[in-house]
PDB file of all heavy atoms in Angstrom:
ATOM      1  N   LEU A 241     -36.371 -15.171  23.729  1.00  0.00           N
ATOM      2  CA  LEU A 241     -36.017 -16.065  24.838  1.00  0.00           C
ATOM      3  C   LEU A 241     -36.069 -17.523  24.401  1.00  0.00           C
ATOM      4  O   LEU A 241     -35.171 -18.313  24.725  1.00  0.00           O
ATOM      5  CB  LEU A 241     -36.948 -15.837  26.029  1.00  0.00           C
ATOM      6  CG  LEU A 241     -36.988 -14.442  26.647  1.00  0.00           C
ATOM      7  CD1 LEU A 241     -37.943 -14.408  27.828  1.00  0.00           C
ATOM      8  CD2 LEU A 241     -35.618 -13.970  27.033  1.00  0.00           C
ATOM      9  N   ASP A 242     -37.123 -17.887  23.667  1.00  0.00           N
ATOM     10  CA  ASP A 242     -37.254 -19.260  23.177  1.00  0.00           C
ATOM     11  C   ASP A 242     -36.084 -19.635  22.270  1.00  0.00           C
ATOM     12  O   ASP A 242     -35.553 -20.741  22.351  1.00  0.00           O
ATOM     13  CB  ASP A 242     -38.570 -19.448  22.420  1.00  0.00           C
ATOM     14  CG  ASP A 242     -39.798 -19.466  23.318  1.00  0.00           C
ATOM     15  OD1 ASP A 242     -39.668 -19.741  24.526  1.00  0.00           O
ATOM     16  OD2 ASP A 242     -40.904 -19.201  22.796  1.00  0.00           O
ATOM     17  N   ALA A 243     -35.667 -18.708  21.404  1.00  0.00           N
ATOM     18  CA  ALA A 243     -34.559 -18.981  20.477  1.00  0.00           C
ATOM     19  C   ALA A 243     -33.251 -19.178  21.228  1.00  0.00           C
ATOM     20  O   ALA A 243     -32.484 -20.100  20.924  1.00  0.00           O
ATOM     21  CB  ALA A 243     -34.417 -17.845  19.461  1.00  0.00           C
ATOM     22  N   ILE A 244     -32.995 -18.333  22.217  1.00  0.00           N
ATOM     23  CA  ILE A 244     -31.759 -18.461  23.001  1.00  0.00           C
ATOM     24  C   ILE A 244     -31.761 -19.781  23.750  1.00  0.00           C
ATOM     25  O   ILE A 244     -30.763 -20.506  23.758  1.00  0.00           O
ATOM     26  CB  ILE A 244     -31.600 -17.265  23.965  1.00  0.00           C
ATOM     27  CG1 ILE A 244     -31.373 -15.979  23.168  1.00  0.00           C
ATOM     28  CG2 ILE A 244     -30.448 -17.511  24.944  1.00  0.00           C
ATOM     29  CD1 ILE A 244     -31.460 -14.708  24.007  1.00  0.00           C
ATOM     30  N   GLU A 245     -32.883 -20.116  24.357  1.00  0.00           N
ATOM     31  CA  GLU A 245     -32.971 -21.373  25.102  1.00  0.00           C
ATOM     32  C   GLU A 245     -32.794 -22.578  24.181  1.00  0.00           C
ATOM     33  O   GLU A 245     -32.100 -23.539  24.530  1.00  0.00           O
ATOM     34  CB  GLU A 245     -34.313 -21.469  25.827  1.00  0.00           C
ATOM     35  CG  GLU A 245     -34.440 -22.739  26.655  1.00  0.00           C
ATOM     36  CD  GLU A 245     -35.799 -22.893  27.294  1.00  0.00           C
ATOM     37  OE1 GLU A 245     -36.827 -22.651  26.603  1.00  0.00           O
ATOM     38  OE2 GLU A 245     -35.828 -23.257  28.474  1.00  0.00           O
ATOM     39  N   ALA A 246     -33.401 -22.529  22.994  1.00  0.00           N
ATOM     40  CA  ALA A 246     -33.306 -23.661  22.059  1.00  0.00           C
ATOM     41  C   ALA A 246     -31.880 -23.885  21.592  1.00  0.00           C
ATOM     42  O   ALA A 246     -31.497 -25.020  21.284  1.00  0.00           O
ATOM     43  CB  ALA A 246     -34.223 -23.424  20.860  1.00  0.00           C
ATOM     44  N   ALA A 247     -31.075 -22.830  21.540  1.00  0.00           N
ATOM     45  CA  ALA A 247     -29.691 -22.951  21.077  1.00  0.00           C
ATOM     46  C   ALA A 247     -28.767 -23.507  22.158  1.00  0.00           C
ATOM     47  O   ALA A 247     -27.672 -23.977  21.840  1.00  0.00           O
ATOM     48  CB  ALA A 247     -29.168 -21.593  20.619  1.00  0.00           C
ATOM     49  N   GLU A 248     -29.181 -23.428  23.417  1.00  0.00           N
ATOM     50  CA  GLU A 248     -28.311 -23.874  24.513  1.00  0.00           C
ATOM     51  C   GLU A 248     -27.906 -25.318  24.323  1.00  0.00           C
ATOM     52  O   GLU A 248     -28.701 -26.122  23.861  1.00  0.00           O
ATOM     53  CB  GLU A 248     -29.027 -23.693  25.863  1.00  0.00           C
ATOM     54  CG  GLU A 248     -29.192 -22.244  26.252  1.00  0.00           C
ATOM     55  CD  GLU A 248     -29.990 -22.050  27.537  1.00  0.00           C
ATOM     56  OE1 GLU A 248     -30.737 -22.959  27.960  1.00  0.00           O
ATOM     57  OE2 GLU A 248     -29.871 -20.968  28.119  1.00  0.00           O
ATOM     58  N   PRO A 249     -26.660 -25.666  24.603  1.00  0.00           N
ATOM     59  CA  PRO A 249     -25.648 -24.885  25.312  1.00  0.00           C
ATOM     60  C   PRO A 249     -24.825 -23.978  24.400  1.00  0.00           C
ATOM     61  O   PRO A 249     -23.921 -23.292  24.861  1.00  0.00           O
ATOM     62  CB  PRO A 249     -24.757 -25.948  25.941  1.00  0.00           C
ATOM     63  CG  PRO A 249     -24.786 -27.060  24.951  1.00  0.00           C
ATOM     64  CD  PRO A 249     -26.188 -27.045  24.376  1.00  0.00           C
ATOM     65  N   ASP A 250     -25.128 -23.954  23.102  1.00  0.00           N
ATOM     66  CA  ASP A 250     -24.379 -23.084  22.198  1.00  0.00           C
ATOM     67  C   ASP A 250     -24.798 -21.634  22.405  1.00  0.00           C
ATOM     68  O   ASP A 250     -25.944 -21.344  22.746  1.00  0.00           O
ATOM     69  CB  ASP A 250     -24.619 -23.487  20.740  1.00  0.00           C
ATOM     70  CG  ASP A 250     -24.086 -24.888  20.435  1.00  0.00           C
ATOM     71  OD1 ASP A 250     -23.069 -25.276  21.040  1.00  0.00           O
ATOM     72  OD2 ASP A 250     -24.700 -25.575  19.608  1.00  0.00           O
ATOM     73  N   ALA A 251     -23.859 -20.739  22.157  1.00  0.00           N
ATOM     74  CA  ALA A 251     -24.128 -19.305  22.265  1.00  0.00           C
ATOM     75  C   ALA A 251     -24.859 -18.839  21.011  1.00  0.00           C
ATOM     76  O   ALA A 251     -24.683 -19.391  19.927  1.00  0.00           O
ATOM     77  CB  ALA A 251     -22.820 -18.541  22.445  1.00  0.00           C
ATOM     78  N   LEU A 252     -25.658 -17.820  21.185  1.00  0.00           N
ATOM     79  CA  LEU A 252     -26.432 -17.271  20.079  1.00  0.00           C
ATOM     80  C   LEU A 252     -26.251 -15.761  20.067  1.00  0.00           C
ATOM     81  O   LEU A 252     -26.263 -15.120  21.118  1.00  0.00           O
ATOM     82  CB  LEU A 252     -27.915 -17.616  20.284  1.00  0.00           C
ATOM     83  CG  LEU A 252     -28.849 -17.543  19.098  1.00  0.00           C
ATOM     84  CD1 LEU A 252     -28.458 -18.576  18.045  1.00  0.00           C
ATOM     85  CD2 LEU A 252     -30.276 -17.789  19.536  1.00  0.00           C
ATOM     86  N   GLY A 253     -26.073 -15.207  18.882  1.00  0.00           N
ATOM     87  CA  GLY A 253     -26.001 -13.760  18.709  1.00  0.00           C
ATOM     88  C   GLY A 253     -27.230 -13.290  17.958  1.00  0.00           C
ATOM     89  O   GLY A 253     -28.159 -14.062  17.702  1.00  0.00           O
ATOM     90  N   VAL A 254     -27.230 -12.034  17.575  1.00  0.00           N
ATOM     91  CA  VAL A 254     -28.378 -11.462  16.871  1.00  0.00           C
ATOM     92  C   VAL A 254     -28.624 -12.203  15.562  1.00  0.00           C
ATOM     93  O   VAL A 254     -29.777 -12.487  15.216  1.00  0.00           O
ATOM     94  CB  VAL A 254     -28.175  -9.946  16.629  1.00  0.00           C
ATOM     95  CG1 VAL A 254     -29.269  -9.396  15.725  1.00  0.00           C
ATOM     96  CG2 VAL A 254     -28.157  -9.203  17.943  1.00  0.00           C
ATOM     97  N   ASN A 255     -27.562 -12.533  14.826  1.00  0.00           N
ATOM     98  CA  ASN A 255     -27.750 -13.254  13.563  1.00  0.00           C
ATOM     99  C   ASN A 255     -28.373 -14.629  13.802  1.00  0.00           C
ATOM    100  O   ASN A 255     -29.199 -15.089  13.004  1.00  0.00           O
ATOM    101  CB  ASN A 255     -26.434 -13.388  12.807  1.00  0.00           C
ATOM    102  CG  ASN A 255     -25.967 -12.064  12.238  1.00  0.00           C
ATOM    103  OD1 ASN A 255     -26.760 -11.171  11.998  1.00  0.00           O
ATOM    104  ND2 ASN A 255     -24.663 -11.938  12.042  1.00  0.00           N
ATOM    105  N   GLY A 256     -28.014 -15.275  14.877  1.00  0.00           N
ATOM    106  CA  GLY A 256     -28.619 -16.557  15.228  1.00  0.00           C
ATOM    107  C   GLY A 256     -30.091 -16.416  15.566  1.00  0.00           C
ATOM    108  O   GLY A 256     -30.906 -17.263  15.203  1.00  0.00           O
ATOM    109  N   VAL A 257     -30.435 -15.347  16.254  1.00  0.00           N
ATOM    110  CA  VAL A 257     -31.840 -15.073  16.557  1.00  0.00           C
ATOM    111  C   VAL A 257     -32.601 -14.834  15.256  1.00  0.00           C
ATOM    112  O   VAL A 257     -33.703 -15.356  15.062  1.00  0.00           O
ATOM    113  CB  VAL A 257     -31.988 -13.869  17.522  1.00  0.00           C
ATOM    114  CG1 VAL A 257     -33.436 -13.403  17.614  1.00  0.00           C
ATOM    115  CG2 VAL A 257     -31.448 -14.220  18.900  1.00  0.00           C
ATOM    116  N   ALA A 258     -32.002 -14.069  14.340  1.00  0.00           N
ATOM    117  CA  ALA A 258     -32.642 -13.806  13.047  1.00  0.00           C
ATOM    118  C   ALA A 258     -32.932 -15.114  12.322  1.00  0.00           C
ATOM    119  O   ALA A 258     -34.042 -15.319  11.812  1.00  0.00           O
ATOM    120  CB  ALA A 258     -31.757 -12.903  12.182  1.00  0.00           C
ATOM    121  N   ALA A 259     -31.941 -15.998  12.281  1.00  0.00           N
ATOM    122  CA  ALA A 259     -32.125 -17.289  11.600  1.00  0.00           C
ATOM    123  C   ALA A 259     -33.197 -18.128  12.297  1.00  0.00           C
ATOM    124  O   ALA A 259     -34.045 -18.742  11.649  1.00  0.00           O
ATOM    125  CB  ALA A 259     -30.801 -18.035  11.541  1.00  0.00           C
ATOM    126  N   ALA A 260     -33.155 -18.159  13.626  1.00  0.00           N
ATOM    127  CA  ALA A 260     -34.112 -18.979  14.383  1.00  0.00           C
ATOM    128  C   ALA A 260     -35.546 -18.490  14.209  1.00  0.00           C
ATOM    129  O   ALA A 260     -36.484 -19.288  14.162  1.00  0.00           O
ATOM    130  CB  ALA A 260     -33.736 -18.986  15.863  1.00  0.00           C
ATOM    131  N   LEU A 261     -35.709 -17.176  14.107  1.00  0.00           N
ATOM    132  CA  LEU A 261     -37.058 -16.608  14.001  1.00  0.00           C
ATOM    133  C   LEU A 261     -37.509 -16.387  12.565  1.00  0.00           C
ATOM    134  O   LEU A 261     -38.667 -16.044  12.324  1.00  0.00           O
ATOM    135  CB  LEU A 261     -37.140 -15.284  14.765  1.00  0.00           C
ATOM    136  CG  LEU A 261     -36.811 -15.325  16.254  1.00  0.00           C
ATOM    137  CD1 LEU A 261     -37.016 -13.955  16.882  1.00  0.00           C
ATOM    138  CD2 LEU A 261     -37.634 -16.381  16.968  1.00  0.00           C
ATOM    139  N   GLY A 262     -36.583 -16.564  11.626  1.00  0.00           N
ATOM    140  CA  GLY A 262     -36.936 -16.356  10.227  1.00  0.00           C
ATOM    141  C   GLY A 262     -37.217 -14.901   9.905  1.00  0.00           C
ATOM    142  O   GLY A 262     -38.119 -14.597   9.126  1.00  0.00           O
ATOM    143  N   VAL A 263     -36.442 -14.006  10.533  1.00  0.00           N
ATOM    144  CA  VAL A 263     -36.593 -12.577  10.272  1.00  0.00           C
ATOM    145  C   VAL A 263     -35.251 -12.020   9.804  1.00  0.00           C
ATOM    146  O   VAL A 263     -34.215 -12.674   9.947  1.00  0.00           O
ATOM    147  CB  VAL A 263     -37.080 -11.806  11.524  1.00  0.00           C
ATOM    148  CG1 VAL A 263     -38.446 -12.305  11.967  1.00  0.00           C
ATOM    149  CG2 VAL A 263     -36.084 -11.904  12.669  1.00  0.00           C
ATOM    150  N   ASP A 264     -35.266 -10.805   9.275  1.00  0.00           N
ATOM    151  CA  ASP A 264     -34.000 -10.207   8.855  1.00  0.00           C
ATOM    152  C   ASP A 264     -33.242  -9.681  10.075  1.00  0.00           C
ATOM    153  O   ASP A 264     -33.796  -9.567  11.176  1.00  0.00           O
ATOM    154  CB  ASP A 264     -34.220  -9.123   7.798  1.00  0.00           C
ATOM    155  CG  ASP A 264     -35.075  -7.959   8.264  1.00  0.00           C
ATOM    156  OD1 ASP A 264     -35.218  -7.746   9.481  1.00  0.00           O
ATOM    157  OD2 ASP A 264     -35.604  -7.250   7.396  1.00  0.00           O
ATOM    158  N   GLN A 265     -31.966  -9.362   9.858  1.00  0.00           N
ATOM    159  CA  GLN A 265     -31.101  -8.945  10.956  1.00  0.00           C
ATOM    160  C   GLN A 265     -31.588  -7.667  11.643  1.00  0.00           C
ATOM    161  O   GLN A 265     -31.589  -7.612  12.881  1.00  0.00           O
ATOM    162  CB  GLN A 265     -29.656  -8.809  10.447  1.00  0.00           C
ATOM    163  CG  GLN A 265     -28.611  -8.710  11.538  1.00  0.00           C
ATOM    164  CD  GLN A 265     -28.447  -7.284  12.065  1.00  0.00           C
ATOM    165  OE1 GLN A 265     -28.805  -6.303  11.413  1.00  0.00           O
ATOM    166  NE2 GLN A 265     -27.908  -7.179  13.268  1.00  0.00           N
ATOM    167  N   PRO A 266     -32.052  -6.646  10.910  1.00  0.00           N
ATOM    168  CA  PRO A 266     -32.542  -5.454  11.608  1.00  0.00           C
ATOM    169  C   PRO A 266     -33.740  -5.740  12.533  1.00  0.00           C
ATOM    170  O   PRO A 266     -33.819  -5.212  13.636  1.00  0.00           O
ATOM    171  CB  PRO A 266     -32.943  -4.508  10.466  1.00  0.00           C
ATOM    172  CG  PRO A 266     -32.083  -4.926   9.320  1.00  0.00           C
ATOM    173  CD  PRO A 266     -31.970  -6.429   9.452  1.00  0.00           C
ATOM    174  N   ARG A 267     -34.641  -6.591  12.073  1.00  0.00           N
ATOM    175  CA  ARG A 267     -35.796  -6.957  12.923  1.00  0.00           C
ATOM    176  C   ARG A 267     -35.324  -7.721  14.148  1.00  0.00           C
ATOM    177  O   ARG A 267     -35.767  -7.456  15.267  1.00  0.00           O
ATOM    178  CB  ARG A 267     -36.800  -7.792  12.113  1.00  0.00           C
ATOM    179  CG  ARG A 267     -37.957  -8.318  12.918  1.00  0.00           C
ATOM    180  CD  ARG A 267     -38.949  -7.231  13.275  1.00  0.00           C
ATOM    181  NE  ARG A 267     -40.069  -7.814  13.991  1.00  0.00           N
ATOM    182  CZ  ARG A 267     -40.649  -7.236  15.019  1.00  0.00           C
ATOM    183  NH1 ARG A 267     -40.270  -6.060  15.437  1.00  0.00           N
ATOM    184  NH2 ARG A 267     -41.651  -7.818  15.633  1.00  0.00           N
ATOM    185  N   ALA A 268     -34.404  -8.673  13.966  1.00  0.00           N
ATOM    186  CA  ALA A 268     -33.880  -9.426  15.098  1.00  0.00           C
ATOM    187  C   ALA A 268     -33.183  -8.494  16.080  1.00  0.00           C
ATOM    188  O   ALA A 268     -33.318  -8.647  17.299  1.00  0.00           O
ATOM    189  CB  ALA A 268     -32.922 -10.515  14.612  1.00  0.00           C
ATOM    190  N   SER A 269     -32.450  -7.528  15.562  1.00  0.00           N
ATOM    191  CA  SER A 269     -31.750  -6.578  16.417  1.00  0.00           C
ATOM    192  C   SER A 269     -32.736  -5.794  17.282  1.00  0.00           C
ATOM    193  O   SER A 269     -32.498  -5.578  18.475  1.00  0.00           O
ATOM    194  CB  SER A 269     -30.920  -5.628  15.556  1.00  0.00           C
ATOM    195  OG  SER A 269     -30.142  -4.791  16.365  1.00  0.00           O
ATOM    196  N   LYS A 270     -33.866  -5.396  16.710  1.00  0.00           N
ATOM    197  CA  LYS A 270     -34.898  -4.674  17.466  1.00  0.00           C
ATOM    198  C   LYS A 270     -35.517  -5.571  18.533  1.00  0.00           C
ATOM    199  O   LYS A 270     -35.758  -5.131  19.664  1.00  0.00           O
ATOM    200  CB  LYS A 270     -35.984  -4.155  16.526  1.00  0.00           C
ATOM    201  CG  LYS A 270     -35.536  -2.992  15.679  1.00  0.00           C
ATOM    202  CD  LYS A 270     -36.639  -2.546  14.741  1.00  0.00           C
ATOM    203  CE  LYS A 270     -36.115  -1.452  13.807  1.00  0.00           C
ATOM    204  NZ  LYS A 270     -37.116  -1.043  12.831  1.00  0.00           N
ATOM    205  N   LEU A 271     -35.769  -6.825  18.179  1.00  0.00           N
ATOM    206  CA  LEU A 271     -36.342  -7.759  19.148  1.00  0.00           C
ATOM    207  C   LEU A 271     -35.378  -8.012  20.299  1.00  0.00           C
ATOM    208  O   LEU A 271     -35.779  -8.050  21.471  1.00  0.00           O
ATOM    209  CB  LEU A 271     -36.721  -9.073  18.460  1.00  0.00           C
ATOM    210  CG  LEU A 271     -37.829  -9.001  17.418  1.00  0.00           C
ATOM    211  CD1 LEU A 271     -38.001 -10.343  16.721  1.00  0.00           C
ATOM    212  CD2 LEU A 271     -39.139  -8.547  18.049  1.00  0.00           C
ATOM    213  N   VAL A 272     -34.101  -8.198  19.962  1.00  0.00           N
ATOM    214  CA  VAL A 272     -33.090  -8.420  20.998  1.00  0.00           C
ATOM    215  C   VAL A 272     -32.972  -7.182  21.884  1.00  0.00           C
ATOM    216  O   VAL A 272     -32.892  -7.289  23.114  1.00  0.00           O
ATOM    217  CB  VAL A 272     -31.726  -8.797  20.373  1.00  0.00           C
ATOM    218  CG1 VAL A 272     -30.607  -8.718  21.402  1.00  0.00           C
ATOM    219  CG2 VAL A 272     -31.804 -10.196  19.764  1.00  0.00           C
ATOM    220  N   ALA A 273     -32.986  -5.995  21.284  1.00  0.00           N
ATOM    221  CA  ALA A 273     -32.906  -4.753  22.059  1.00  0.00           C
ATOM    222  C   ALA A 273     -34.072  -4.664  23.043  1.00  0.00           C
ATOM    223  O   ALA A 273     -33.891  -4.242  24.195  1.00  0.00           O
ATOM    224  CB  ALA A 273     -32.887  -3.547  21.130  1.00  0.00           C
ATOM    225  N   ALA A 274     -35.260  -5.079  22.604  1.00  0.00           N
ATOM    226  CA  ALA A 274     -36.425  -5.063  23.499  1.00  0.00           C
ATOM    227  C   ALA A 274     -36.225  -6.047  24.654  1.00  0.00           C
ATOM    228  O   ALA A 274     -36.582  -5.742  25.802  1.00  0.00           O
ATOM    229  CB  ALA A 274     -37.694  -5.408  22.720  1.00  0.00           C
ATOM    230  N   ALA A 275     -35.646  -7.203  24.374  1.00  0.00           N
ATOM    231  CA  ALA A 275     -35.387  -8.186  25.427  1.00  0.00           C
ATOM    232  C   ALA A 275     -34.341  -7.672  26.411  1.00  0.00           C
ATOM    233  O   ALA A 275     -34.448  -7.894  27.623  1.00  0.00           O
ATOM    234  CB  ALA A 275     -34.945  -9.512  24.811  1.00  0.00           C
ATOM    235  N   VAL A 276     -33.333  -6.983  25.884  1.00  0.00           N
ATOM    236  CA  VAL A 276     -32.296  -6.396  26.746  1.00  0.00           C
ATOM    237  C   VAL A 276     -32.914  -5.292  27.605  1.00  0.00           C
ATOM    238  O   VAL A 276     -32.692  -5.241  28.823  1.00  0.00           O
ATOM    239  CB  VAL A 276     -31.114  -5.857  25.907  1.00  0.00           C
ATOM    240  CG1 VAL A 276     -30.166  -5.023  26.760  1.00  0.00           C
ATOM    241  CG2 VAL A 276     -30.360  -7.015  25.242  1.00  0.00           C
ATOM    242  N   THR A 277     -33.704  -4.419  26.990  1.00  0.00           N
ATOM    243  CA  THR A 277     -34.360  -3.328  27.723  1.00  0.00           C
ATOM    244  C   THR A 277     -35.273  -3.873  28.813  1.00  0.00           C
ATOM    245  O   THR A 277     -35.355  -3.297  29.905  1.00  0.00           O
ATOM    246  CB  THR A 277     -35.166  -2.433  26.747  1.00  0.00           C
ATOM    247  OG1 THR A 277     -34.243  -1.869  25.806  1.00  0.00           O
ATOM    248  CG2 THR A 277     -35.906  -1.329  27.477  1.00  0.00           C
ATOM    249  N   ALA A 278     -35.944  -4.992  28.540  1.00  0.00           N
ATOM    250  CA  ALA A 278     -36.830  -5.621  29.524  1.00  0.00           C
ATOM    251  C   ALA A 278     -36.057  -6.306  30.644  1.00  0.00           C
ATOM    252  O   ALA A 278     -36.651  -6.778  31.618  1.00  0.00           O
ATOM    253  CB  ALA A 278     -37.758  -6.618  28.826  1.00  0.00           C
ATOM    254  N   GLY A 279     -34.730  -6.396  30.499  1.00  0.00           N
ATOM    255  CA  GLY A 279     -33.907  -7.026  31.533  1.00  0.00           C
ATOM    256  C   GLY A 279     -33.922  -8.545  31.484  1.00  0.00           C
ATOM    257  O   GLY A 279     -33.546  -9.207  32.443  1.00  0.00           O
ATOM    258  N   LEU A 280     -34.342  -9.106  30.357  1.00  0.00           N
ATOM    259  CA  LEU A 280     -34.458 -10.555  30.230  1.00  0.00           C
ATOM    260  C   LEU A 280     -33.235 -11.181  29.562  1.00  0.00           C
ATOM    261  O   LEU A 280     -33.005 -12.387  29.681  1.00  0.00           O
ATOM    262  CB  LEU A 280     -35.722 -10.908  29.443  1.00  0.00           C
ATOM    263  CG  LEU A 280     -37.022 -10.356  30.053  1.00  0.00           C
ATOM    264  CD1 LEU A 280     -38.189 -10.614  29.121  1.00  0.00           C
ATOM    265  CD2 LEU A 280     -37.271 -10.945  31.423  1.00  0.00           C
ATOM    266  N   VAL A 281     -32.464 -10.365  28.862  1.00  0.00           N
ATOM    267  CA  VAL A 281     -31.282 -10.820  28.125  1.00  0.00           C
ATOM    268  C   VAL A 281     -30.185  -9.787  28.333  1.00  0.00           C
ATOM    269  O   VAL A 281     -30.456  -8.595  28.461  1.00  0.00           O
ATOM    270  CB  VAL A 281     -31.604 -10.956  26.613  1.00  0.00           C
ATOM    271  CG1 VAL A 281     -30.367 -11.249  25.791  1.00  0.00           C
ATOM    272  CG2 VAL A 281     -32.668 -12.022  26.382  1.00  0.00           C
ATOM    273  N   ARG A 282     -28.951 -10.255  28.349  1.00  0.00           N
ATOM    274  CA  ARG A 282     -27.822  -9.327  28.355  1.00  0.00           C
ATOM    275  C   ARG A 282     -26.856  -9.742  27.262  1.00  0.00           C
ATOM    276  O   ARG A 282     -26.807 -10.905  26.866  1.00  0.00           O
ATOM    277  CB  ARG A 282     -27.140  -9.258  29.716  1.00  0.00           C
ATOM    278  CG  ARG A 282     -26.324 -10.463  30.088  1.00  0.00           C
ATOM    279  CD  ARG A 282     -25.592 -10.245  31.424  1.00  0.00           C
ATOM    280  NE  ARG A 282     -24.858 -11.440  31.767  1.00  0.00           N
ATOM    281  CZ  ARG A 282     -25.366 -12.502  32.367  1.00  0.00           C
ATOM    282  NH1 ARG A 282     -26.635 -12.506  32.738  1.00  0.00           N
ATOM    283  NH2 ARG A 282     -24.625 -13.560  32.626  1.00  0.00           N
ATOM    284  N   ARG A 283     -26.113  -8.767  26.794  1.00  0.00           N
ATOM    285  CA  ARG A 283     -25.096  -9.012  25.764  1.00  0.00           C
ATOM    286  C   ARG A 283     -23.764  -9.238  26.463  1.00  0.00           C
ATOM    287  O   ARG A 283     -23.446  -8.538  27.417  1.00  0.00           O
ATOM    288  CB  ARG A 283     -24.989  -7.813  24.825  1.00  0.00           C
ATOM    289  CG  ARG A 283     -26.261  -7.514  24.058  1.00  0.00           C
ATOM    290  CD  ARG A 283     -26.099  -6.211  23.273  1.00  0.00           C
ATOM    291  NE  ARG A 283     -27.369  -5.692  22.810  1.00  0.00           N
ATOM    292  CZ  ARG A 283     -27.860  -5.900  21.603  1.00  0.00           C
ATOM    293  NH1 ARG A 283     -27.203  -6.617  20.730  1.00  0.00           N
ATOM    294  NH2 ARG A 283     -29.022  -5.386  21.263  1.00  0.00           N
ATOM    295  N   GLU A 284     -22.996 -10.206  25.949  1.00  0.00           N
ATOM    296  CA  GLU A 284     -21.666 -10.474  26.482  1.00  0.00           C
ATOM    297  C   GLU A 284     -20.698 -10.632  25.325  1.00  0.00           C
ATOM    298  O   GLU A 284     -21.079 -11.128  24.255  1.00  0.00           O
ATOM    299  CB  GLU A 284     -21.639 -11.769  27.311  1.00  0.00           C
ATOM    300  CG  GLU A 284     -22.344 -11.679  28.623  1.00  0.00           C
ATOM    301  CD  GLU A 284     -22.176 -12.945  29.466  1.00  0.00           C
ATOM    302  OE1 GLU A 284     -21.604 -13.939  28.967  1.00  0.00           O
ATOM    303  OE2 GLU A 284     -22.641 -12.928  30.614  1.00  0.00           O
ATOM    304  N   ALA A 285     -19.449 -10.247  25.547  1.00  0.00           N
ATOM    305  CA  ALA A 285     -18.417 -10.459  24.534  1.00  0.00           C
ATOM    306  C   ALA A 285     -18.157 -11.952  24.411  1.00  0.00           C
ATOM    307  O   ALA A 285     -18.070 -12.666  25.406  1.00  0.00           O
ATOM    308  CB  ALA A 285     -17.136  -9.738  24.923  1.00  0.00           C
ATOM    309  N   ASP A 286     -18.054 -12.418  23.183  1.00  0.00           N
ATOM    310  CA  ASP A 286     -17.733 -13.825  22.914  1.00  0.00           C
ATOM    311  C   ASP A 286     -16.291 -14.066  23.346  1.00  0.00           C
ATOM    312  O   ASP A 286     -15.385 -13.334  22.954  1.00  0.00           O
ATOM    313  CB  ASP A 286     -17.905 -14.104  21.421  1.00  0.00           C
ATOM    314  CG  ASP A 286     -17.743 -15.569  21.069  1.00  0.00           C
ATOM    315  OD1 ASP A 286     -16.829 -16.232  21.618  1.00  0.00           O
ATOM    316  OD2 ASP A 286     -18.517 -16.055  20.240  1.00  0.00           O
TER     317      ASP A 286
END
C-alpha cells in the first residue's frame, strides 16, 4: 500500500512494487496477491 501511494499519481504494477520494496518479482507478486486477497488493492488493465 505504501509503495502504491508513493508512486501516485503514476500507476504501479508488480514490477514497480518489486523495485520500490527492493524484492524480486516473485516475492512482490506474492505480496500484491495478499493485498488483492485482503481487498485492499485491485488489478486493472493499463
